[in-house]
Amino acid sequence: MTIPAWPLTDEQRQIVQLCQDFARREIRPRGREVDEADVVTPVDIFQKAAQVGIADFMLPAEYGGGGITDVFTQCLVQEELCWGDPGIGNLVCSNGFFFSLTRS
């Protein structure tokens, strides 16, 4: 039996699962296209990330964000999304950078 170095809370496990599913379904299939084109902005991915609450997870809840304030959970989200594609994953995790774009 493997004991994790950092046991996750139930909420963290749910967030990790959401991000894994999103990366597998939305990011990974488009990553190569976006990276190779180098001029493609996958706005649709950001819109979908906003719909499931990933694009704004680091923004305070009082501003409509997810209110996740601990760095460890933020790293978990970024790790999972960047598995899909580092460029797209980092953009989605840009601390709400696309928040206004995806909420319209």
Side-chain angles (χ1 to χ4, degrees):
M1 179 170 117
T2 303
I3 298 173
W6 296 279
L8 303 182
T9 66
D10 289 339
E11 181 183 29
Q12 288 170 328
R13 280 193 290 278
Q14 290 173 352
I15 291 168
V16 165
Q17 188 62 55
L18 172 69
C19 293
Q20 284 175 351
D21 294 343
F22 187 84
R24 183 177 297 108
R25 185 180 64 251
E26 303 295 340
I27 297 175
R28 194 131 178 116
R30 298 271 308 282
R32 178 169 280 183
E33 166 203 347
V34 172
D35 290 345
E36 288 179 356
D38 200 28
V39 294
V40 174
T41 303
V43 175
D44 61 310
I45 293 176
F46 300 120
Q47 290 171 330
K48 291 174 184 177
Q51 290 171 354
V52 297
I54 296 173
D56 60 358
F57 72 95
M58 288 189 267
L59 293 175
E62 60 266 23
Y63 296 110
I68 296 175
T69 58
D70 69 283
V71 175
F72 181 63
T73 303
Q74 293 172 2
C75 289
L76 293 171
V77 169
Q78 189 163 12
E79 177 182 31
E80 296 305 329
L81 296 180
C82 287
W83 171 83
D85 179 77
I88 296 172
N90 280 315
L91 287 172
V92 172
C93 290
S94 294
N95 210 9
F97 181 73
F98 290 96
F99 182 73
S100 61
L101 174 67
T102 56
R103 288 293 190 181
S104 56

Coordinates of all heavy atoms in Angstrom, one line a residue, residues 4-98:
P4 N 0.3 8.4 0.3 CA 0.7 9.6 -0.4 C 1.5 10.6 0.5 O 1.2 10.6 1.7 CB -0.7 10.2 -0.7 CG -1.7 9.6 0.2 CD -1.1 8.3 0.6
A5 N 2.4 11.2 -0.1 CA 3.2 12.2 0.7 C 2.4 13.3 1.2 O 2.6 13.8 2.3 CB 4.3 12.8 -0.2
W6 N 1.3 13.7 0.5 CA 0.4 14.8 0.9 C -1.0 14.3 0.7 O -1.5 14.3 -0.4 CB 0.6 16.0 0.1 CG 2.0 16.7 0.2 CD1 2.3 17.5 1.3 CD2 3.1 16.5 -0.6 NE1 3.7 17.8 1.1 CE2 4.1 17.3 -0.1 CE3 3.3 15.9 -1.8 CZ2 5.4 17.4 -0.6 CZ3 4.6 16.0 -2.4 CH2 5.6 16.7 -1.8
P7 N -1.6 13.8 1.8 CA -3.0 13.3 1.6 C -3.9 14.5 1.2 O -3.8 15.6 1.7 CB -3.4 12.9 3.0 CG -2.2 13.1 3.9 CD -1.1 13.7 3.1
L8 N -4.7 14.2 0.2 CA -5.7 15.2 -0.3 C -7.0 15.2 0.5 O -7.4 14.1 0.9 CB -5.9 15.0 -1.8 CG -4.7 14.9 -2.7 CD1 -5.2 14.7 -4.1 CD2 -3.9 16.2 -2.6
T9 N -7.6 16.4 0.6 CA -8.9 16.4 1.1 C -9.9 15.9 0.1 O -9.6 15.8 -1.1 CB -9.3 17.9 1.5 OG1 -9.4 18.7 0.3 CG2 -8.3 18.5 2.5
D10 N -11.1 15.7 0.5 CA -12.2 15.3 -0.4 C -12.4 16.3 -1.5 O -12.5 16.0 -2.7 CB -13.5 15.0 0.3 CG -13.5 13.7 1.2 OD1 -12.6 12.9 0.9 OD2 -14.3 13.6 2.1
E11 N -12.4 17.6 -1.1 CA -12.5 18.7 -2.1 C -11.4 18.7 -3.1 O -11.6 18.9 -4.3 CB -12.6 20.0 -1.4 CG -12.8 21.2 -2.3 CD -12.8 22.5 -1.6 OE1 -12.1 22.7 -0.6 OE2 -13.4 23.5 -2.2
Q12 N -10.1 18.5 -2.6 CA -9.0 18.5 -3.5 C -9.1 17.3 -4.5 O -8.8 17.4 -5.7 CB -7.7 18.4 -2.7 CG -7.4 19.7 -2.1 CD -6.2 19.6 -1.1 OE1 -6.0 18.5 -0.5 NE2 -5.4 20.6 -0.9
R13 N -9.5 16.1 -4.0 CA -9.7 15.0 -4.9 C -10.7 15.3 -6.0 O -10.6 14.9 -7.1 CB -10.1 13.7 -4.1 CG -8.9 13.1 -3.4 CD -9.2 11.7 -2.9 NE -10.0 11.7 -1.7 CZ -9.6 11.9 -0.5 NH1 -8.4 12.1 -0.3 NH2 -10.5 11.9 0.5
Q14 N -11.8 15.9 -5.6 CA -12.9 16.3 -6.6 C -12.3 17.3 -7.6 O -12.6 17.1 -8.8 CB -14.1 16.9 -5.9 CG -14.8 15.9 -5.0 CD -15.9 16.5 -4.2 OE1 -16.0 17.7 -4.1 NE2 -16.8 15.7 -3.6
I15 N -11.6 18.2 -7.2 CA -11.0 19.2 -8.1 C -10.0 18.6 -9.0 O -10.0 18.8 -10.2 CB -10.3 20.4 -7.3 CG1 -11.4 21.2 -6.6 CG2 -9.5 21.2 -8.2 CD1 -10.8 22.2 -5.5
V16 N -9.2 17.7 -8.5 CA -8.2 17.0 -9.3 C -8.9 16.1 -10.4 O -8.6 16.1 -11.6 CB -7.3 16.1 -8.5 CG1 -6.5 15.1 -9.3 CG2 -6.3 16.9 -7.7
Q17 N -10.0 15.4 -10.0 CA -10.8 14.6 -10.9 C -11.4 15.5 -12.0 O -11.4 15.2 -13.2 CB -11.8 13.8 -10.2 CG -12.5 12.8 -11.1 CD -11.6 11.8 -11.6 OE1 -10.9 11.1 -10.9 NE2 -11.5 11.6 -12.9
L18 N -12.0 16.6 -11.6 CA -12.6 17.5 -12.6 C -11.5 18.0 -13.6 O -11.8 18.0 -14.8 CB -13.2 18.8 -11.8 CG -13.7 19.9 -12.7 CD1 -14.9 19.5 -13.5 CD2 -13.9 21.1 -11.8
C19 N -10.4 18.4 -13.1 CA -9.3 18.9 -14.0 C -8.7 17.8 -14.9 O -8.4 18.0 -16.0 CB -8.2 19.5 -13.2 SG -8.7 21.1 -12.4
Q20 N -8.6 16.6 -14.3 CA -8.1 15.4 -15.2 C -9.1 15.2 -16.3 O -8.7 15.0 -17.5 CB -8.0 14.2 -14.3 CG -6.9 14.1 -13.4 CD -6.9 12.8 -12.5 OE1 -7.9 12.1 -12.5 NE2 -5.8 12.6 -11.8
D21 N -10.4 15.2 -16.0 CA -11.4 14.9 -17.0 C -11.4 16.0 -18.0 O -11.5 15.8 -19.2 CB -12.8 14.8 -16.3 CG -13.0 13.6 -15.5 OD1 -12.1 12.6 -15.6 OD2 -13.9 13.6 -14.7
F22 N -11.3 17.3 -17.6 CA -11.3 18.4 -18.5 C -10.1 18.4 -19.4 O -10.2 18.6 -20.6 CB -11.4 19.7 -17.7 CG -11.5 20.9 -18.6 CD1 -12.8 21.3 -19.0 CD2 -10.5 21.6 -19.0 CE1 -13.0 22.4 -19.8 CE2 -10.6 22.7 -19.9 CZ -11.9 23.1 -20.3
A23 N -8.9 18.1 -18.8 CA -7.7 18.0 -19.6 C -7.8 16.9 -20.7 O -7.4 17.1 -21.8 CB -6.5 17.8 -18.7
R24 N -8.3 15.8 -20.3 CA -8.4 14.6 -21.2 C -9.4 14.9 -22.3 O -9.2 14.6 -23.5 CB -8.9 13.4 -20.4 CG -8.9 12.1 -21.3 CD -9.3 10.9 -20.4 NE -8.3 10.6 -19.4 CZ -8.5 10.8 -18.1 NH1 -9.6 11.3 -17.6 NH2 -7.5 10.5 -17.3
R25 N -10.5 15.5 -22.0 CA -11.6 15.7 -22.9 C -11.4 17.0 -23.8 O -11.7 16.9 -25.0 CB -12.9 15.8 -22.1 CG -14.2 15.9 -23.0 CD -15.5 16.0 -22.1 NE -15.5 17.3 -21.3 CZ -15.3 17.4 -20.0 NH1 -15.1 16.3 -19.3 NH2 -15.3 18.5 -19.4
E26 N -10.9 18.1 -23.2 CA -10.9 19.4 -23.9 C -9.5 19.8 -24.3 O -9.4 20.4 -25.4 CB -11.6 20.5 -23.1 CG -13.0 20.2 -22.6 CD -14.0 20.1 -23.8 OE1 -13.7 20.6 -24.9 OE2 -15.0 19.5 -23.6
I27 N -8.5 19.7 -23.5 CA -7.2 20.2 -23.7 C -6.3 19.3 -24.6 O -5.8 19.7 -25.6 CB -6.5 20.6 -22.4 CG1 -7.3 21.7 -21.7 CG2 -5.1 21.1 -22.7 CD1 -6.8 22.1 -20.3
R28 N -6.2 18.1 -24.1 CA -5.3 17.2 -24.8 C -5.5 17.0 -26.3 O -4.6 17.0 -27.1 CB -5.3 15.8 -24.1 CG -4.1 15.0 -24.5 CD -3.4 14.4 -23.2 NE -2.3 13.6 -23.6 CZ -1.1 13.8 -23.3 NH1 -0.8 14.9 -22.6 NH2 -0.1 13.0 -23.6
P29 N -6.8 16.9 -26.7 CA -7.0 16.7 -28.1 C -6.7 17.9 -29.0 O -6.4 17.7 -30.2 CB -8.5 16.4 -28.2 CG -8.9 16.0 -26.9 CD -8.0 16.6 -25.9
R30 N -6.6 19.1 -28.4 CA -6.3 20.3 -29.2 C -4.9 20.8 -29.0 O -4.5 21.7 -29.7 CB -7.3 21.4 -28.8 CG -8.7 21.1 -29.0 CD -9.2 21.5 -30.4 NE -8.9 22.9 -30.7 CZ -9.6 23.9 -30.2 NH1 -10.6 23.8 -29.5 NH2 -9.2 25.1 -30.6
G31 N -4.1 20.3 -28.0 CA -2.9 20.9 -27.6 C -1.9 20.9 -28.8 O -1.3 22.0 -29.0
R32 N -1.7 19.9 -29.5 CA -0.7 19.9 -30.6 C -1.1 20.9 -31.7 O -0.3 21.7 -32.2 CB -0.6 18.5 -31.2 CG 0.4 18.5 -32.4 CD 0.7 17.1 -32.8 NE 1.7 16.7 -31.9 CZ 2.3 15.5 -31.9 NH1 2.0 14.7 -32.9 NH2 3.2 15.2 -31.1
E33 N -2.4 20.9 -32.0 CA -2.9 21.9 -33.0 C -2.5 23.3 -32.6 O -2.0 24.1 -33.4 CB -4.4 21.8 -33.2 CG -5.0 22.9 -33.9 CD -6.5 23.0 -33.6 OE1 -7.1 22.1 -33.0 OE2 -7.1 24.1 -34.0
V34 N -2.8 23.7 -31.4 CA -2.6 25.0 -30.9 C -1.1 25.3 -30.8 O -0.6 26.4 -31.2 CB -3.2 25.2 -29.5 CG1 -2.8 26.5 -28.8 CG2 -4.8 25.1 -29.6
D35 N -0.3 24.4 -30.3 CA 1.1 24.6 -30.2 C 1.8 24.7 -31.6 O 2.7 25.6 -31.8 CB 1.8 23.4 -29.4 CG 1.4 23.4 -28.0 OD1 0.9 24.5 -27.5 OD2 1.6 22.4 -27.3
E36 N 1.4 23.9 -32.5 CA 2.1 23.9 -33.8 C 1.7 25.1 -34.6 O 2.5 25.7 -35.4 CB 1.8 22.6 -34.6 CG 2.6 21.4 -34.0 CD 2.3 20.1 -34.7 OE1 1.5 20.1 -35.6 OE2 2.9 19.1 -34.3
A37 N 0.4 25.5 -34.5 CA 0.0 26.7 -35.3 C 0.6 28.0 -34.7 O 0.9 28.9 -35.5 CB -1.6 26.8 -35.2
D38 N 0.8 28.0 -33.4 CA 1.4 29.2 -32.7 C 0.6 30.5 -32.9 O 1.1 31.5 -32.6 CB 2.9 29.3 -33.1 CG 3.7 30.1 -32.1 OD1 3.3 30.1 -30.9 OD2 4.6 30.8 -32.5
V39 N -0.5 30.4 -33.5 CA -1.3 31.6 -33.7 C -2.8 31.4 -33.3 O -3.6 32.2 -33.5 CB -1.2 32.2 -35.1 CG1 0.2 32.7 -35.4 CG2 -1.7 31.2 -36.2
V40 N -3.1 30.2 -32.9 CA -4.4 29.8 -32.5 C -4.7 30.1 -31.0 O -3.9 29.6 -30.2 CB -4.6 28.3 -32.8 CG1 -6.0 27.8 -32.3 CG2 -4.4 28.0 -34.3
T41 N -5.7 30.8 -30.8 CA -6.1 31.1 -29.4 C -7.4 30.2 -29.1 O -8.4 30.5 -29.7 CB -6.4 32.5 -29.1 OG1 -5.2 33.3 -29.5 CG2 -6.8 32.8 -27.7
P42 N -7.3 29.2 -28.3 CA -8.4 28.3 -28.1 C -9.4 28.9 -27.1 O -9.6 28.5 -26.0 CB -7.8 27.1 -27.5 CG -6.6 27.6 -26.8 CD -6.1 28.8 -27.6
V43 N -10.1 30.0 -27.6 CA -11.1 30.7 -26.8 C -12.2 29.7 -26.3 O -12.7 29.8 -25.2 CB -11.7 31.9 -27.6 CG1 -12.8 32.5 -26.8 CG2 -10.6 32.9 -27.9
D44 N -12.6 28.8 -27.2 CA -13.6 27.8 -26.8 C -13.2 27.0 -25.6 O -14.1 26.7 -24.7 CB -14.0 26.9 -28.0 CG -12.8 26.1 -28.5 OD1 -11.7 26.6 -28.7 OD2 -13.0 24.8 -28.6
I45 N -11.9 26.7 -25.5 CA -11.5 25.9 -24.3 C -11.6 26.8 -23.0 O -12.0 26.3 -22.0 CB -10.0 25.4 -24.5 CG1 -10.0 24.3 -25.6 CG2 -9.5 24.8 -23.2 CD1 -8.6 23.8 -25.9
F46 N -11.3 28.0 -23.1 CA -11.4 28.9 -22.0 C -12.9 29.1 -21.6 O -13.2 29.1 -20.4 CB -10.8 30.3 -22.3 CG -9.3 30.2 -22.6 CD1 -8.8 30.6 -23.8 CD2 -8.4 29.6 -21.7 CE1 -7.5 30.5 -24.1 CE2 -7.0 29.5 -22.0 CZ -6.6 29.9 -23.2
Q47 N -13.7 29.2 -22.6 CA -15.2 29.3 -22.3 C -15.7 28.0 -21.6 O -16.4 28.1 -20.6 CB -16.0 29.5 -23.6 CG -15.7 30.9 -24.1 CD -16.3 31.1 -25.5 OE1 -16.4 30.2 -26.3 NE2 -16.6 32.4 -25.8
K48 N -15.2 26.9 -22.0 CA -15.6 25.6 -21.4 C -15.0 25.5 -20.0 O -15.7 25.1 -19.0 CB -15.2 24.4 -22.2 CG -16.0 24.3 -23.5 CD -15.5 23.2 -24.4 CE -16.2 23.2 -25.7 NZ -15.6 22.2 -26.6
A49 N -13.8 26.0 -19.8 CA -13.2 26.0 -18.5 C -13.9 26.9 -17.5 O -14.1 26.6 -16.4 CB -11.7 26.4 -18.6
A50 N -14.4 28.0 -18.0 CA -15.2 28.9 -17.2 C -16.5 28.3 -16.8 O -17.0 28.4 -15.7 CB -15.4 30.2 -17.9
Q51 N -17.1 27.6 -17.7 CA -18.4 26.9 -17.5 C -18.3 25.9 -16.3 O -19.3 25.8 -15.6 CB -19.0 26.3 -18.7 CG -19.4 27.3 -19.8 CD -19.8 26.6 -21.1 OE1 -19.5 25.4 -21.3 NE2 -20.3 27.4 -22.0
V52 N -17.2 25.2 -16.2 CA -17.1 24.2 -15.2 C -16.3 24.8 -13.9 O -16.1 24.0 -13.0 CB -16.4 22.9 -15.7 CG1 -17.2 22.3 -16.8 CG2 -15.0 23.2 -16.1
G53 N -16.0 26.1 -14.0 CA -15.4 26.7 -12.8 C -13.9 26.6 -12.7 O -13.3 26.8 -11.6
I54 N -13.2 26.2 -13.8 CA -11.8 26.1 -13.7 C -11.0 27.4 -14.0 O -10.0 27.7 -13.4 CB -11.3 25.0 -14.7 CG1 -11.8 23.6 -14.2 CG2 -9.7 24.9 -14.7 CD1 -11.6 22.5 -15.2
A55 N -11.5 28.2 -14.9 CA -10.8 29.4 -15.3 C -10.7 30.5 -14.2 O -9.8 31.3 -14.3 CB -11.6 30.0 -16.6
D56 N -11.6 30.4 -13.3 CA -11.6 31.5 -12.3 C -11.4 30.9 -10.8 O -11.7 31.6 -9.9 CB -12.9 32.3 -12.3 CG -14.1 31.4 -12.1 OD1 -14.0 30.2 -11.9 OD2 -15.2 31.9 -12.1
F57 N -10.9 29.7 -10.7 CA -10.8 29.1 -9.4 C -10.0 29.8 -8.4 O -10.2 29.7 -7.2 CB -10.3 27.6 -9.6 CG -8.8 27.5 -9.9 CD1 -7.9 27.3 -8.9 CD2 -8.4 27.6 -11.2 CE1 -6.6 27.2 -9.2 CE2 -7.1 27.5 -11.5 CZ -6.1 27.3 -10.5
M58 N -9.0 30.6 -8.9 CA -8.2 31.3 -7.9 C -8.7 32.7 -7.5 O -8.1 33.4 -6.6 CB -6.7 31.5 -8.5 CG -6.0 30.2 -8.5 SD -4.2 30.5 -9.0 CE -4.3 30.2 -10.7
L59 N -9.7 33.2 -8.2 CA -10.3 34.5 -7.9 C -11.1 34.4 -6.6 O -11.8 33.3 -6.4 CB -11.1 35.0 -9.0 CG -10.4 35.3 -10.3 CD1 -11.4 35.7 -11.4 CD2 -9.4 36.5 -10.1
P60 N -11.2 35.4 -5.8 CA -12.0 35.4 -4.6 C -13.5 35.1 -4.9 O -14.0 35.6 -5.9 CB -11.8 36.8 -4.0 CG -10.5 37.3 -4.6 CD -10.5 36.7 -6.0
A61 N -14.1 34.4 -4.0 CA -15.5 34.0 -4.2 C -16.4 35.3 -4.3 O -17.4 35.3 -5.1 CB -16.0 33.1 -3.1
E62 N -16.1 36.3 -3.6 CA -16.9 37.5 -3.6 C -16.9 38.2 -5.0 O -17.7 39.1 -5.3 CB -16.5 38.5 -2.5 CG -15.1 39.0 -2.6 CD -14.1 38.2 -1.7 OE1 -14.4 37.0 -1.4 OE2 -13.1 38.8 -1.3
Y63 N -15.9 37.9 -5.9 CA -15.9 38.4 -7.2 C -16.3 37.3 -8.3 O -16.1 37.5 -9.4 CB -14.5 38.9 -7.6 CG -14.0 40.0 -6.7 CD1 -13.1 39.9 -5.7 CD2 -14.7 41.3 -6.8 CE1 -12.7 41.0 -4.9 CE2 -14.3 42.4 -6.0 CZ -13.3 42.2 -5.1 OH -12.9 43.2 -4.3
G64 N -17.0 36.3 -7.8 CA -17.5 35.3 -8.7 C -16.5 34.1 -9.0 O -16.8 33.3 -9.8
G65 N -15.4 34.1 -8.3 CA -14.4 33.1 -8.5 C -14.6 31.9 -7.7 O -15.6 31.8 -6.9
G66 N -13.7 30.9 -7.8 CA -13.8 29.7 -7.0 C -13.3 29.8 -5.6 O -13.6 29.0 -4.7
G67 N -12.6 30.8 -5.3 CA -12.1 31.1 -3.9 C -11.1 30.1 -3.4 O -10.9 30.0 -2.2
I68 N -10.4 29.4 -4.2 CA -9.3 28.5 -3.8 C -8.1 29.4 -3.5 O -7.5 30.0 -4.4 CB -9.0 27.4 -4.8 CG1 -10.3 26.6 -5.0 CG2 -7.8 26.6 -4.4 CD1 -10.1 25.5 -6.1
T69 N -7.7 29.5 -2.3 CA -6.6 30.4 -1.9 C -5.3 29.6 -1.5 O -4.3 30.3 -1.4 CB -7.1 31.2 -0.7 OG1 -7.4 30.3 0.4 CG2 -8.2 32.1 -1.0
D70 N -5.4 28.3 -1.3 CA -4.1 27.7 -0.9 C -3.3 27.3 -2.2 O -3.9 26.8 -3.2 CB -4.4 26.5 0.0 CG -5.1 25.3 -0.8 OD1 -6.3 25.4 -1.0 OD2 -4.4 24.4 -1.1
V71 N -2.1 27.5 -2.1 CA -1.2 27.3 -3.2 C -1.1 25.8 -3.6 O -1.0 25.5 -4.8 CB 0.2 27.8 -2.9 CG1 1.2 27.5 -4.0 CG2 0.2 29.3 -2.7
F72 N -1.2 24.9 -2.7 CA -1.1 23.5 -3.0 C -2.2 23.1 -3.9 O -2.0 22.4 -4.9 CB -1.1 22.7 -1.7 CG -1.0 21.2 -1.9 CD1 0.1 20.6 -2.5 CD2 -2.1 20.4 -1.6 CE1 0.2 19.3 -2.7 CE2 -2.0 19.0 -1.8 CZ -0.8 18.5 -2.4
T73 N -3.5 23.5 -3.6 CA -4.6 23.2 -4.5 C -4.4 23.8 -5.8 O -4.7 23.2 -6.9 CB -5.9 23.6 -3.8 OG1 -6.0 22.9 -2.6 CG2 -7.1 23.1 -4.7
Q74 N -3.9 25.0 -5.9 CA -3.7 25.7 -7.1 C -2.7 24.9 -8.0 O -2.8 24.8 -9.2 CB -3.2 27.1 -6.9 CG -4.2 28.0 -6.3 CD -3.7 29.4 -5.9 OE1 -2.5 29.7 -6.1 NE2 -4.6 30.2 -5.3
C75 N -1.7 24.4 -7.3 CA -0.6 23.6 -8.0 C -1.3 22.3 -8.5 O -0.9 21.8 -9.6 CB 0.5 23.2 -7.1 SG 1.6 24.7 -6.8
L76 N -2.2 21.7 -7.8 CA -2.8 20.5 -8.2 C -3.6 20.7 -9.5 O -3.6 19.9 -10.5 CB -3.8 19.9 -7.2 CG -3.1 19.4 -5.9 CD1 -4.2 19.1 -4.8 CD2 -2.3 18.1 -6.2
V77 N -4.3 21.8 -9.5 CA -5.1 22.2 -10.7 C -4.2 22.4 -11.9 O -4.4 21.9 -13.0 CB -6.0 23.5 -10.4 CG1 -6.6 24.0 -11.7 CG2 -7.0 23.2 -9.4
Q78 N -3.1 23.2 -11.7 CA -2.2 23.5 -12.8 C -1.5 22.2 -13.3 O -1.4 22.0 -14.5 CB -1.2 24.5 -12.4 CG -0.4 25.0 -13.5 CD 0.3 26.3 -13.2 OE1 0.4 26.7 -12.1 NE2 0.9 26.9 -14.2
E79 N -1.2 21.3 -12.4 CA -0.5 20.1 -12.8 C -1.4 19.3 -13.7 O -1.0 18.8 -14.8 CB -0.1 19.3 -11.6 CG 0.5 17.9 -11.9 CD 0.8 17.1 -10.7 OE1 0.1 17.2 -9.7 OE2 1.8 16.3 -10.8
E80 N -2.7 19.1 -13.4 CA -3.6 18.3 -14.1 C -3.9 19.0 -15.5 O -3.9 18.3 -16.5 CB -4.9 18.1 -13.4 CG -4.7 17.3 -12.1 CD -4.1 15.9 -12.3 OE1 -4.2 15.3 -13.4 OE2 -3.4 15.4 -11.4
L81 N -4.1 20.3 -15.5 CA -4.4 21.0 -16.8 C -3.2 21.0 -17.7 O -3.4 20.8 -18.9 CB -4.9 22.4 -16.5 CG -6.2 22.5 -15.8 CD1 -6.6 24.0 -15.6 CD2 -7.4 21.7 -16.4
C82 N -2.0 21.1 -17.1 CA -0.8 21.2 -18.0 C -0.5 19.8 -18.5 O 0.3 19.7 -19.5 CB 0.3 21.8 -17.2 SG 0.2 23.5 -17.0
W83 N -1.0 18.7 -17.9 CA -0.8 17.4 -18.5 C -1.5 17.4 -19.8 O -1.0 16.8 -20.8 CB -1.4 16.3 -17.6 CG -1.5 15.0 -18.2 CD1 -0.5 14.1 -18.3 CD2 -2.6 14.4 -19.0 NE1 -0.9 13.0 -19.1 CE2 -2.2 13.2 -19.5 CE3 -3.9 14.9 -19.2 CZ2 -3.0 12.4 -20.2 CZ3 -4.7 14.0 -20.0 CH2 -4.3 12.8 -20.4
G84 N -2.7 18.1 -19.9 CA -3.4 18.1 -21.2 C -2.5 18.9 -22.2 O -2.4 18.4 -23.3
D85 N -2.0 20.0 -21.8 CA -1.0 20.8 -22.7 C -0.5 21.9 -21.8 O -1.3 22.6 -21.3 CB -1.7 21.3 -23.9 CG -0.8 22.2 -24.8 OD1 0.0 21.5 -25.5 OD2 -0.8 23.4 -24.7
P86 N 0.8 22.0 -21.7 CA 1.4 23.0 -20.8 C 1.0 24.4 -21.2 O 0.7 25.2 -20.3 CB 2.9 22.8 -21.0 CG 3.1 21.4 -21.4 CD 1.9 21.1 -22.3
G87 N 1.0 24.8 -22.5 CA 0.6 26.1 -22.9 C -0.8 26.5 -22.5 O -1.1 27.5 -21.9
I88 N -1.7 25.6 -22.9 CA -3.1 25.8 -22.7 C -3.4 25.8 -21.2 O -4.1 26.6 -20.6 CB -4.0 24.8 -23.4 CG1 -3.9 25.0 -24.9 CG2 -5.5 25.0 -23.0 CD1 -4.5 24.0 -25.8
G89 N -2.8 24.8 -20.5 CA -3.0 24.6 -19.0 C -2.6 25.9 -18.3 O -3.2 26.3 -17.4
N90 N -1.4 26.4 -18.6 CA -0.9 27.6 -18.0 C -1.8 28.8 -18.3 O -2.0 29.7 -17.4 CB 0.5 27.9 -18.4 CG 1.5 27.0 -17.6 OD1 1.4 26.9 -16.4 ND2 2.5 26.5 -18.3
L91 N -2.3 28.9 -19.5 CA -3.2 30.0 -19.8 C -4.5 29.9 -19.0 O -5.0 30.9 -18.5 CB -3.5 30.1 -21.3 CG -2.3 30.5 -22.2 CD1 -2.6 30.4 -23.6 CD2 -2.0 32.0 -21.9
V92 N -5.0 28.7 -18.9 CA -6.3 28.6 -18.1 C -6.0 28.9 -16.7 O -6.9 29.5 -16.0 CB -6.8 27.1 -18.3 CG1 -8.0 26.9 -17.3 CG2 -7.3 26.9 -19.7
C93 N -4.8 28.6 -16.2 CA -4.5 28.9 -14.8 C -4.0 30.3 -14.5 O -3.5 30.6 -13.5 CB -3.5 27.9 -14.3 SG -4.1 26.2 -14.2
S94 N -4.1 31.2 -15.5 CA -3.5 32.5 -15.4 C -4.2 33.4 -14.4 O -4.4 34.6 -14.7 CB -3.4 33.2 -16.7 OG -2.5 32.5 -17.6
N95 N -4.6 32.8 -13.3 CA -5.2 33.6 -12.2 C -6.3 34.5 -12.6 O -6.4 35.7 -12.2 CB -4.1 34.4 -11.5 CG -4.4 34.6 -10.0 OD1 -5.4 34.0 -9.5 ND2 -3.7 35.4 -9.4
G96 N -7.2 34.0 -13.5 CA -8.4 34.7 -13.9 C -8.1 35.6 -15.1 O -9.0 36.4 -15.4
F97 N -7.0 35.5 -15.8 CA -6.7 36.4 -16.9 C -7.8 36.4 -17.9 O -8.2 37.4 -18.5 CB -5.4 36.0 -17.5 CG -4.9 36.8 -18.7 CD1 -4.5 38.1 -18.4 CD2 -5.0 36.4 -20.0 CE1 -4.1 38.9 -19.5 CE2 -4.6 37.1 -21.0 CZ -4.1 38.4 -20.8
F98 N -8.4 35.2 -18.2 CA -9.4 35.1 -19.2 C -10.8 35.2 -18.6 O -11.8 34.9 -19.2 CB -9.3 33.8 -20.0 CG -8.1 33.9 -20.9 CD1 -6.9 33.3 -20.5 CD2 -8.1 34.5 -22.1 CE1 -5.8 33.3 -21.3 CE2 -7.0 34.5 -22.9 CZ -5.8 33.9 -22.5

